[in-house]
Amino acid sequence: MNQLIEHIKRFIEIDDAESAIILSYFEEKSYPKKTQLLEEGQICTTQYFILKGCLRLYIINDKGNEQTLQFGIENWWITDYMSLQTQHPTHFYIQTVENSQVMAIRKDALDDLLGKVPKMERYFRLILQKSYAASQMRIKFLYTQSAEERYHHFNSVQPEFVQRIPQYMLASYLDFSAEFMSKIRAGKV
Amino acid sequence: MNQLIEHIKRFIEIDDAESAIILSYFEEKSYPKKTQLLEEGQICTTQYFILKGCLRLYIINDKGNEQTLQFGIENWWITDYMSLQTQHPTHFYIQTVENSQVMAIRKDALDDLLGKVPKMERYFRLILQKSYAASQMRIKFLYTQSAEERYHHFNSVQPEFVQRIPQYMLASYLDFSAEFMSKIRAGKV
DNA sequence: CAAAAAACTTGAACTAGTTCAAGAAAACGT
DNA sequence: ACGTTTTCTTGAACTAGTTCAAGTTTTTTG
């Protein structure tokens, strides 16, 4: 069975007919590593469900450095919800970190789908509630832990993921410099 | 008309019968300033829609200082979504910053309501999408702006709100010390 | 309105994390 | 397998923001 349908069934009940309708609104796509799916200044039109691989959402700061704000892996959704919602130009970049496979759905297709299969409102509500809850916790950690604590905490919660991505990307996600990451890892802090 | 119903009507269409059903699941409450609605270690059971006043969600850090993670004012929802979802003990405190009036709905009541009026799934999806979008932007600002920039930015976007709350609470929300806030305001930075 | 409590200010000493620059090690494409 | 690119490391100098302690101002309350 399709991996997205499996994921949806973890949250709501759908039958085969509904599954087929749902899938008809999505496009399955594969992208090589480092493919840009969204760039600053564009209008975000698409939401991605990750089947395989890893994507990230990042910005380029004043000094020209990339700062990763979010990672997405298997069975996570990723998009710039602000630009998607307002249809204003985005401040973000979305890029594949590994060769990746996604199910993509465009904003207008999603609107149609929600009209056809209103149950999906519930699925997305639950997804967003989970994401927002995670985001509240993320802010908690950013506010209370030191750089070193954030690193050790992340490492203990997501050890396999740490192996998958360049350290400098993780450093920027945890909001410290790549050099400082090196020093933490070497125990020189 | 009830302020919550008005707010819901900004997102979905509901008739008078539905409005009445919806309201029957809520309890309208008034709390004086500094009332604790949630404390660390408790299980979060309730979601609040703010009619009047101001609430905040905060933590107490290792040094025993309060750090505000979120403010809520008129027409915003506030709760600890993680504890609400998992029914595990919360890490957070929720407190009224001003004398406040809220519409409170308990987790089980919300589940019933969503069964009775499935349209409300859409309302909450849209609310959560807005909240999550705001949270993505919040993290962007935290990652790219200096303390001083965060203060000036917040001040330019929410000037009236800055007048309503103690500066030390705003300082902790913007993730710097009350003393540093003083220095920014005095232009001594 | 007086007293107490809450909020704000100031300066000096400090520190967690940054920046820069250069070199070393891995990973990758052909 | 070799050269190129990407990623990681190291140390020295620096800085944005913290901490502490004490004093001042503002707000609240009986």
Side-chain angles (χ1 to χ4, degrees):
Chain A
M1 194 203 306
N2 179 286
Q3 195 178 325
L4 171 59
I5 295 299
E6 242 174 85
H7 189 255
I8 294 171
K9 284 188 175 174
R10 286 196 219 160
F11 296 90
I12 61 171
E13 288 183 20
I14 49 170
D15 60 33
D16 290 355
E18 287 164 332
S19 301
I21 296 174
I22 292 166
L23 285 178
S24 74
Y25 286 92
F26 283 85
E27 226 180 319
E28 184 170 337
K29 293 200 176 179
S30 287
Y31 298 107
K33 194 172 174 167
K34 302 233 167 185
T35 309
Q36 295 298 146
L37 303 186
L38 181 70
E39 298 195 46
E40 184 170 6
Q42 297 176 342
I43 309 259
C44 180
T45 57
T46 309
Q47 229 168 314
Y48 301 96
F49 177 80
I50 303 165
L51 297 170
K52 180 114 197 48
C54 178
L55 275 65
R56 66 174 178 138
L57 181 150
Y58 67 96
I59 49 134
I60 297 187
N61 67 19
D62 298 344
K63 282 161 203 134
N65 299 323
E66 295 176 359
Q67 281 188 280
T68 299
L69 303 188
Q70 233 168 94
F71 287 109
I73 55 172
E74 287 79 10
N75 292 332
W76 279 91
W77 285 89
I78 197 164
T79 193
D80 170 1
Y81 283 100
M82 187 58 90
S83 170
L84 195 76
Q85 215 159 73
T86 62
Q87 293 289 290
H88 291 155
T90 180
H91 302 278
F92 301 132
Y93 296 78
I94 294 180
Q95 185 192 58
T96 53
V97 176
E98 305 171 341
N99 297 337
S100 303
Q101 255 179 292
V102 302
M103 297 291 279
I105 187 165
R106 295 175 55 87
K107 183 187 166 57
D108 47 357
L110 181 63
D111 290 342
D112 287 358
L113 167 57
L114 290 167
K116 275 273 192 340
V117 188
K119 271 188 207 176
M120 288 294 283
E121 296 277 5
R122 180 174 173 84
Y123 169 70
F124 285 108
R125 175 181 70 85
L126 292 168
I127 289 301
L128 279 162
Q129 192 164 305
K130 251 185 109 172
S131 304
Y132 187 61
S135 182
Q136 283 188 318
M137 292 306 290
R138 167 109 180 267
I139 290 176
K140 183 205 148 166
F141 289 126
L142 283 171
Y143 274 43
T144 54
Q145 298 185 326
S146 68
E148 199 177 357
E149 286 168 339
R150 293 199 296 279
Y151 172 70
H152 290 309
H153 178 255
F154 192 87
N155 224 327
S156 73
V157 176
Q158 305 270 9
E160 0 56 53
F161 181 64
V162 173
Q163 303 309 315
R164 280 170 68 172
I165 50 161
Q167 298 297 325
Y168 75 89
M169 275 188 201
L170 180 56
S172 80
Y173 175 76
L174 295 174
D175 203 18
F176 49 78
S177 67
E179 292 90 341
F180 196 64
M181 169 69 99
S182 235
K183 285 163 198 176
I184 291 172
R185 282 154 51 86
K188 299 192 177 168
V189 172
Chain B
M1 196 203 305
N2 179 287
Q3 195 178 327
L4 171 58
I5 296 297
E6 240 173 88
H7 189 254
I8 295 172
K9 285 187 175 174
R10 284 196 221 160
F11 296 91
I12 61 172
E13 287 182 21
I14 49 171
D15 59 33
D16 291 354
E18 288 163 331
S19 300
I21 297 174
I22 292 166
L23 285 179
S24 73
Y25 287 93
F26 283 86
E27 226 181 317
E28 185 170 336
K29 293 199 177 180
S30 288
Y31 298 108
K33 194 171 172 169
K34 301 235 167 182
T35 309
Q36 293 298 145
L37 304 186
L38 182 70
E39 297 195 48
E40 184 169 7
Q42 298 176 341
I43 309 261
C44 180
T45 57
T46 309
Q47 231 168 311
Y48 301 96
F49 177 80
I50 303 165
L51 296 170
K52 180 110 196 54
C54 178
L55 276 65
R56 66 175 179 138
L57 181 151
Y58 66 97
I59 49 138
I60 297 187
N61 67 19
D62 298 345
K63 282 162 205 136
N65 299 324
E66 297 177 357
Q67 282 190 279
T68 299
L69 303 187
Q70 236 168 92
F71 287 109
I73 55 169
E74 288 80 8
N75 292 330
W76 280 92
W77 286 88
I78 197 163
T79 193
D80 171 1
Y81 284 100
M82 187 59 88
S83 171
L84 194 76
Q85 212 159 73
T86 62
Q87 292 289 291
H88 291 155
T90 179
H91 302 278
F92 301 132
Y93 297 77
I94 295 180
Q95 187 193 58
T96 53
V97 176
E98 305 171 342
N99 298 336
S100 302
Q101 254 180 292
V102 303
M103 298 290 279
I105 187 165
R106 295 175 56 86
K107 184 187 164 58
D108 46 358
L110 181 63
D111 290 343
D112 287 357
L113 168 56
L114 291 167
K116 276 272 192 340
V117 188
K119 271 186 206 175
M120 288 294 283
E121 296 277 4
R122 180 174 172 83
Y123 170 70
F124 284 108
R125 175 180 70 84
L126 292 168
I127 290 301
L128 280 161
Q129 191 163 306
K130 249 185 110 173
S131 305
Y132 187 60
S135 183
Q136 284 188 318
M137 291 308 289
R138 168 111 178 266
I139 289 176
K140 183 204 149 168
F141 289 126
L142 283 171
Y143 275 43
T144 55
Q145 296 185 328
S146 68
E148 200 178 353
E149 286 168 338
R150 292 199 296 280
Y151 172 70
H152 289 309
H153 178 255
F154 192 87
N155 224 326
S156 74
V157 175
Q158 306 270 8
E160 2 52 57
F161 182 64
V162 173
Q163 302 310 314
R164 281 171 66 172
I165 50 160
Q167 298 297 323
Y168 75 89
M169 276 189 199
L170 180 56
S172 80
Y173 175 76
L174 296 175
D175 202 17
F176 50 78
S177 68
E179 292 91 339
F180 196 63
M181 169 70 99
S182 234
K183 285 163 198 177
I184 291 172
R185 282 156 50 86
K188 299 194 177 167
V189 170

